Amino acid sequence: MSHVVMQAAEFSTAAAAEQAAAELRRLVADYVTYEKTADAPWSEGAVPAPLVEFGRRHGVPWPGDATSRFLLKGLFGDEANVLSVDRLVFFWGGGFDLGGAWLRAVLLRGLGAVHCTDLPQLVVRVDDPQARAAASGEFLVEEDFEEQFTMTSDDAVLDGALFIITFERDGDRVHLTFDDSGVQEWAFVAMLPQLSGDDPALRAPARGLHGTGNHGV
């Protein structure tokens, strides 16, 4: 199973998040059409028209170099996914690149996100972090992801994680961490719909590598 590339954005309201998700779904539809109709849709020198138009609609000129490319494994219609969860929007697929900082620039400037990142760390405030984390672990095991996550209260292990979900209340924290080995990224993807109604938020990472993804450019 291929590596997951992801963009995540937090908005001030659920309505704003759903509007942004609708724009991303439109981009996906336009990109699917482009792949079907362009003479050389995967040409290294091509700037895909849907990206140029998406940037134009939101006042961000789309560059023509590798920093802005979409590079998924397989067809866009098979690989690209958009999901809104309360005030968050996730856009992902199996592959290598998904618009980079330029897509985050559109999400920030044009669609009104308050935070963006390509390495999401989520915080979910719940009444009982231990119980909620345990229930999430049971769900992942039932979905055949038994060895594809780590559950811990130790903040020190977070530096080795790719994606993180933290359940917390009044200083009590339990983390579900997912790295880039095996299918751990897809276990994180499986957890996202389970957070609906919990109002998850993006936490700005403190560490250097992940911190580079939490802004628009």
Side-chain angles (χ1 to χ4, degrees):
M1 189 172 289
S2 56
H3 172 69
V4 173
V5 290
M6 178 174 286
Q7 300 280 6
E10 179 181 341
F11 295 82
S12 58
T13 66
E18 184 49 45
Q19 182 178 357
E23 278 289 303
L24 287 171
R25 293 185 189 105
R26 175 181 175 183
L27 172 63
V28 170
D30 290 346
Y31 211 98
V32 169
T33 299
Y34 166 78
E35 283 189 329
K36 291 179 178 178
T37 58
D39 290 336
W42 304 288
S43 170
E44 187 172 340
V47 183
L51 300 183
V52 175
E53 176 59 20
F54 184 63
R56 186 197 63 77
R57 287 200 303 270
H58 300 288
V60 178
W62 204 273
D65 58 37
T67 63
S68 68
R69 296 296 298 271
F70 283 0
L71 189 58
L72 297 181
K73 281 191 172 182
L75 294 172
F76 214 73
D78 297 330
E79 295 289 343
N81 296 272
V82 180
L83 176 68
S84 58
V85 180
D86 301 344
R87 294 180 299 111
L88 299 184
V89 174
F90 301 93
F91 180 38
W92 76 91
F96 304 98
D97 291 298
L98 197 55
W102 289 99
L103 182 60
R104 293 192 294 279
V106 174
L107 288 168
L108 277 175
R109 299 174 189 168
L111 301 180
V114 296
H115 298 295
C116 288
T117 182
D118 56 355
L119 295 166
Q121 299 183 23
L122 309 183
V123 56
V124 186
R125 293 178 174 83
V126 295
D127 291 337
D128 188 337
Q130 300 288 338
R132 185 67 175 82
S136 297
E138 291 174 3
F139 164 78
L140 289 170
V141 171
E142 290 172 357
E143 294 296 309
D144 294 326
F145 291 115
E146 182 173 4
E147 298 181 356
Q148 304 303 328
F149 67 98
T150 299
M151 186 183 305
T152 180
S153 295
D154 183 2
D155 295 344
V157 306
L158 301 184
D159 281 344
L162 184 68
F163 303 141
I164 302 166
I165 300 172
T166 298
F167 299 104
E168 69 175 30
R169 181 187 181 187
D170 299 332
D172 182 17
R173 292 188 299 274
V174 184
H175 312 289
L176 297 181
T177 68
F178 308 83
D179 63 31
D180 59 357
S181 63
V183 294
Q184 294 212 6
E185 303 135 284
W186 294 100
F188 174 78
V189 165
M191 269 299 302
L192 295 179
Q194 304 303 309
L195 303 178
S196 180
D198 287 327
D199 194 29
L202 291 178
R203 169 172 284 158
R207 55 191 184 276
L209 174 62
H210 285 206
T212 61
N214 215 53
H215 50 72
V217 294

